[in-house]
Amino acid sequence: IPVVIFIDGINEGAGEALWTNFLANLTAEIEGYDYLRIVISYRTSNRKNWFYDLAHDPNNAVYCHKGFKWHEAEASEYMFSSFNLDQPLWPLYGDEFTNPLFLTIYCRNHEFSGRPLEFADFWTTIQEYCKNINHQLSLKFNYNDVNDLVTESLKTLAKLIVTSQNRWNVEYSNVMKCLSNVAFYTKNPSEFFEALIDEGLLETYQRDDKAYVSYGFERIGDYFIADYLINNTSSEEWFDYKYGD
C-alpha cells in the first residue's frame, strides 16, 4: 500500500510563486520511491502559465473537479440546513452555487442578516460579506461602520497589485503604510490588519527574508482587482495588466 502525500490548494495565495521552482524537483524525487505517491490540488484558469501546462500534460493523471456542479440542489440544501436557514420556496440554484466558496459566503451573509434567501451574484455576495465583517470589526475597534474599512482595505491592496504589476510580491511594509491611512479610525491599524487575516480576507507569507501580503481567497482578489481596473483604468489597459507570473 503506497503512502500518499496530499498538497491542497497549491497555487492559492503565494503558492504559485513558491512552488514554481520546487514542485518538479519534489515530484521527480518521489518517483524514485516505489511506495510514495503525490496528489496535488490547484485552481485552474485559462492563463497560460505552468499550472495550465501541468493540467494539460497527458503524462499526468488529472481530474477536473467541478465543485458542486450537477449537485447544486443537494449541496445548497445541506448548507442551508447547516446554517439554520429556511429552504427557499423556489429554485435558487444558478451557476454560482456550484462554487463552494460562494455558497459558504452566501450562507454566512444570510445567517448574519436573518433575511429570507434571495439570489445574488458573486460580486454582490463578496461586497455584502465584507460589509458584515466590517460591522463586526467596527464593534471591536470602536468606529462607525458607515466607514467600510474592510472593503477599502481590500481595494487598497488591489491598487497596490495593479500599480506594481505583480500580484505575489506586494511587500508587507508597503501594505501597512497604505492600510494605516485607510484604518486610522481604528487607532490601531496593525491590529485591524491582523483581524483581516483572522477573518481569512488577507494572508501574509515570507520569502527570502521578506514579508508579503495577498488575498486570503484568490477568487475574492480577482474580483477586487477587476473592480479597480474597471473603475480606474481605460479599457485599453485592462488586457495589459500582468498577474506577475
Side-chain angles (χ1 to χ4, degrees):
I1 300 176
V3 174
V4 182
I5 300 172
F6 290 90
I7 306 176
D8 184 34
I10 199 171
N11 63 334
E12 287 291 334
E16 185 164 342
L18 292 173
W19 281 101
T20 302
N21 299 320
F22 300 112
L23 185 60
N25 291 336
L26 176 62
T27 55
E29 186 170 348
I30 288 175
E31 287 175 356
Y33 296 88
D34 293 334
Y35 295 100
L36 276 182
R37 303 288 187 273
I38 184 169
V39 175
I40 63 174
S41 71
Y42 52 93
R43 190 169 74 97
T44 58
S45 70
N46 291 323
R47 291 158 52 196
K48 301 298 192 295
N49 57 14
W50 69 285
F51 276 101
Y52 180 93
D53 296 336
L54 192 68
H56 293 81
D57 186 343
N59 295 316
N60 296 324
V62 177
Y63 174 76
C64 183
H65 197 287
K66 301 292 185 179
F68 297 135
K69 193 172 181 63
W70 304 300
H71 300 283
E72 296 92 336
E74 297 93 326
S76 298
E77 289 170 6
Y78 174 82
M79 291 293 287
F80 296 159
S81 297
S82 298
F83 282 85
N84 295 315
L85 302 175
D86 292 334
Q87 299 292 331
L89 300 178
W90 63 90
L92 193 67
Y93 316 116
D95 288 341
E96 298 285 18
F97 286 83
T98 67
N99 187 302
L101 175 61
F102 170 85
L103 185 53
T104 301
I105 293 177
Y106 178 86
C107 288
R108 286 177 179 170
N109 286 348
H110 285 276
E111 180 187 42
F112 181 84
S113 67
R115 69 176 187 274
L117 296 177
E118 58 185 17
F119 179 76
D121 59 34
F122 211 130
W123 180 227
T124 301
T125 298
I126 290 171
Q127 291 175 305
E128 185 177 349
Y129 183 57
C130 290
K131 288 180 180 179
N132 291 341
I133 292 178
N134 184 68
H135 175 74
Q136 296 170 19
L137 294 185
S138 71
L139 300 177
K140 179 178 180 180
F141 290 95
N142 195 29
Y143 65 88
N144 191 325
D145 67 356
V146 171
N147 300 301
D148 192 350
L149 303 187
V150 171
T151 299
E152 290 303 313
S153 296
L154 299 185
K155 286 184 174 181
T156 296
L157 179 56
K159 179 180 179 180
L160 287 172
I161 288 173
V162 173
T163 54
S164 68
Q165 291 282 296
N166 201 320
R167 182 161 183 167
W168 309 120
N169 292 291
V170 181
E171 292 190 20
Y172 178 94
S173 56
N174 293 334
V175 175
M176 282 306 304
K177 288 178 184 177
C178 294
L179 289 190
S180 294
N181 294 328
V182 172
F184 70 93
Y185 293 109
T186 68
K187 299 181 181 179
N188 198 331
S190 61
E191 287 190 10
F192 182 78
F193 175 74
E194 293 298 325
L196 295 179
I197 294 175
D198 291 341
E199 294 292 342
L201 293 172
L202 296 179
E203 66 176 8
T204 60
Y205 54 95
Q206 288 187 322
R207 187 172 69 253
D208 300 327
D209 297 323
K210 287 186 177 181
Y212 300 93
V213 180
S214 66
Y215 290 98
F217 297 102
E218 188 175 352
R219 180 75 181 274
I220 290 179
D222 290 344
Y223 275 89
F224 274 98
I225 292 170
D227 178 68
Y228 179 84
L229 288 168
I230 291 170
N231 290 302
N232 296 278
T233 64
S234 66
S235 57
E236 290 79 11
E237 296 179 69
W238 297 349
F239 299 102
D240 291 332
Y241 167 65
K242 302 296 187 299
Y243 286 87
D245 53 16

